[in-house]
Amino acid sequence: MKALYFAWVRERIGRAEEELSPPPEVGTVGELIAWLKTRDEGYALAFENAAVIRAAIDKAHARHDTAIAGAREIAFFPPMTGG
Amino acid sequence: MKALYFAWVRERIGRAEEELSPPPEVGTVGELIAWLKTRDEGYALAFENAAVIRAAIDKAHARHDTAIAGAREIAFFPPMTGG
Amino acid sequence: MTPTLRIQSAPFDPAQEAARIENGRRDIGAIVSFTGLCRDEDATLAALELEHYPGMAEAEIARVAAEALSRWPLQALTIIHRHGRILPGEKIVLVIAAARHRGEAFAAAEFLMDYLKTRAPFWKKEHRADGSVGDWVAPKAKDDAAAQRWRE
Amino acid sequence: MTPTLRIQSAPFDPAQEAARIENGRRDIGAIVSFTGLCRDEDATLAALELEHYPGMAEAEIARVAAEALSRWPLQALTIIHRHGRILPGEKIVLVIAAARHRGEAFAAAEFLMDYLKTRAPFWKKEHRADGSVGDWVAPKAKDDAAAQRWRE
């Protein structure tokens, strides 16, 4: 699964995208965040306040309890500030 | 006092403006309408449904119970349909 | 801030009016523009004749503008209302409100239109495509209701 | 009716977009246009950098537009959102809604802005006038509240 990071999530992790192969027990967006958070300090900082992190699966907004099964692309980003 | 008439009030009365000298017992906008209504058929038709008629004294909206004492210009017209 | 308020028979250009407001400024966050047009869906209308009460129209629009400026912190405000003969597709009225934040600009523009509809002394008469003179446009109850909600 | 939806780094011209909508039509009664601008009241901002999620930004704006079209009988709709470097005074976002009646055009335009603010994947970063890179602009609680009211 391809992961994309935007805005300060991208800056804290230090990359804009990567391939992820989470273990099978990672079933939801929230579980994927928890798994990523343990990777290194950058991920820990990006996801330190997991509640504010927004996610999208295949370019559509997804909740933290959404299943990631079948997702080709998952994105993580802060609350949006466009407009 | 100068009277002005607009839109279908003007058309029914058959003139756009005139000088009025109402008797002293005509004290309010509503009383002036009742007095005008007796003048001829045109006025009667213009003011047949007095409740819908709007008035302005010296170019500011006035209610039917507003006193006309001191008014230099009084206007009668239908509900507005601009915008 | 002095609003731009005009009553005229000539057409107006919303783009030109918006440009006058922007004019190199860096402090405006939101511009809401409303344009009201002469509508003729059935191809039965030749023109609208807009009668107005000269002097009172200007005074009433100034009062409505002052009321909007007292309610919202507007950075710029333009109101233009045409009178006379107006053809289908032509613009009748323009309101532009500029503010730091969009909520203020939206609210002021909508308030102004609701108030202009029910308080500005203009009356529309239809001239039909078949050459006959049609009716005076009837006021809409929902216009009164729209104006009423700002008093709550 | 197919809305005009664009995401671009180049500036846009609201007047040109409005003209594309009007284009000789006689059935439009009301056009509401919203322009959001890059604001810098304190002269501390050099530019905003607007990051976006290509692909999702287009998809989300299309979803929000479809939602507006399902709620109001719009005759025309344009949404343009810029990304990249935007200078103070420049325009960031444009929404134009055309309808027979003003209430529909106002409601649709305000709904669209509330939804774009909270759902379209764009993020603003400040570049300061002193050459430093500033903060990511923080989301506003009132933007969430503004979007929430359309669900009631």
Side-chain angles (χ1 to χ4, degrees):
Chain A
M1 155 192 338
K2 185 179 177 185
L4 300 179
Y5 309 115
F6 293 96
W8 53 253
V9 173
R10 171 179 53 71
E11 289 180 340
R12 291 179 185 181
I13 289 174
R15 68 188 70 178
E17 61 177 88
E18 65 185 320
E19 277 295 318
L20 294 182
S21 301
E25 65 270 23
V26 171
T28 67
V29 168
E31 287 163 9
L32 185 57
I33 289 174
W35 177 71
L36 284 167
K37 206 169 170 176
T38 63
R39 293 189 131 195
D40 73 19
E41 283 181 10
Y43 291 92
L45 186 61
F47 295 118
E48 65 178 347
N49 187 0
V52 307
I53 299 295
R54 308 296 176 93
I57 292 177
D58 296 332
K59 301 187 171 65
H61 289 291
R63 295 159 48 108
H64 284 207
D65 60 5
T66 304
I68 61 172
R72 283 155 298 170
E73 181 175 292
I74 186 159
F76 295 102
F77 41 79
M80 288 134 289
T81 55
Chain B
M1 150 193 340
K2 186 178 175 187
L4 301 179
Y5 309 115
F6 293 97
W8 52 254
V9 173
R10 172 179 54 71
E11 288 181 341
R12 291 179 185 181
I13 289 173
R15 68 189 71 179
E17 62 177 86
E18 64 185 321
E19 276 296 316
L20 295 182
S21 302
E25 66 269 22
V26 170
T28 65
V29 169
E31 288 163 8
L32 186 57
I33 289 173
W35 178 71
L36 285 167
K37 207 169 166 174
T38 63
R39 293 190 131 195
D40 74 18
E41 282 181 9
Y43 291 91
L45 186 61
F47 295 118
E48 65 178 350
N49 187 0
V52 307
I53 299 296
R54 308 297 175 90
I57 292 177
D58 295 333
K59 301 187 169 67
H61 289 291
R63 296 158 47 109
H64 284 207
D65 60 3
T66 304
I68 61 172
R72 283 156 299 170
E73 181 175 295
I74 185 158
F76 296 101
F77 40 78
M80 289 134 288
T81 54
Chain C
M1 189 274 290
T2 307
T4 297
L5 310 176
R6 296 210 309 272
I7 292 170
Q8 62 188 43
S9 59
F12 55 79
D13 178 6
Q16 193 178 320
E17 302 303 327
R20 282 161 48 98
I21 285 178
E22 297 166 26
N23 192 28
R25 289 177 72 159
R26 297 158 59 109
D27 59 333
I28 295 175
I31 298 177
V32 171
S33 166
F34 175 87
T35 306
L37 299 100
C38 176
R39 191 161 55 93
D40 171 40
E41 280 177 274
D42 311 325
T44 58
L45 189 72
L48 283 178
E49 182 73 29
L50 259 112
E51 183 170 334
H52 78 302
Y53 181 175
M56 180 175 170
E58 288 80 355
E60 196 59 32
I61 286 179
R63 281 189 281 267
V64 171
E67 172 77 17
L69 292 171
S70 76
R71 289 182 179 225
W72 295 281
L74 301 183
Q75 297 171 310
L77 173 61
T78 295
I79 304 175
I80 301 175
H81 203 305
R82 287 181 67 194
H83 62 84
R85 192 175 174 86
I86 293 175
L87 303 178
E90 287 190 352
K91 299 171 183 72
I92 300 172
V93 62
L94 175 70
V95 166
I96 309 179
R100 284 175 189 77
H101 306 290
R102 75 184 185 287
E104 298 154 355
F106 269 119
E110 198 162 11
F111 165 87
L112 285 163
M113 281 311 304
D114 287 347
Y115 264 53
L116 289 176
K117 278 265 174 192
T118 54
R119 296 191 60 86
F122 291 85
W123 301 273
K124 292 190 183 105
K125 187 170 197 167
E126 296 174 348
H127 292 264
R128 299 268 170 77
D130 63 11
S132 66
V133 175
D135 293 325
W136 291 93
V137 172
K140 290 185 187 136
K142 74 175 176 187
D143 283 335
D144 280 331
Q148 190 59 43
R149 70 192 154 135
W150 299 102
R151 280 166 217 162
E152 281 155 14
Chain D
M1 192 273 289
T2 307
T4 297
L5 310 175
R6 298 209 309 271
I7 292 169
Q8 61 188 47
S9 59
F12 54 78
D13 177 6
Q16 193 178 319
E17 301 304 328
R20 281 161 50 98
I21 285 178
E22 295 167 27
N23 191 29
R25 288 176 73 159
R26 297 158 60 108
D27 59 332
I28 295 176
I31 298 176
V32 171
S33 166
F34 175 87
T35 306
L37 299 101
C38 177
R39 192 162 54 92
D40 171 40
E41 281 176 274
D42 311 324
T44 57
L45 188 72
L48 284 178
E49 181 74 30
L50 258 111
E51 182 169 334
H52 78 301
Y53 180 175
M56 181 175 170
E58 288 81 353
E60 195 59 30
I61 286 179
R63 281 189 282 266
V64 171
E67 173 76 16
L69 292 172
S70 77
R71 288 182 180 226
W72 294 281
L74 301 182
Q75 297 172 309
L77 174 61
T78 295
I79 304 174
I80 301 175
H81 203 305
R82 288 181 66 193
H83 61 84
R85 191 174 175 88
I86 293 174
L87 302 178
E90 286 189 353
K91 299 171 183 73
I92 300 172
V93 62
L94 175 71
V95 166
I96 309 180
R100 283 175 190 77
H101 306 291
R102 75 184 185 287
E104 299 154 354
F106 269 119
E110 198 162 10
F111 165 88
L112 284 163
M113 281 310 306
D114 288 347
Y115 264 52
L116 288 176
K117 278 266 173 189
T118 54
R119 296 190 61 86
F122 291 85
W123 301 272
K124 292 192 182 105
K125 185 169 199 170
E126 296 175 347
H127 293 263
R128 299 267 171 76
D130 65 9
S132 67
V133 175
D135 292 325
W136 291 93
V137 172
K140 291 185 186 133
K142 73 175 176 185
D143 283 334
D144 280 332
Q148 190 61 41
R149 70 193 154 134
W150 300 101
R151 279 165 217 163
E152 282 156 13

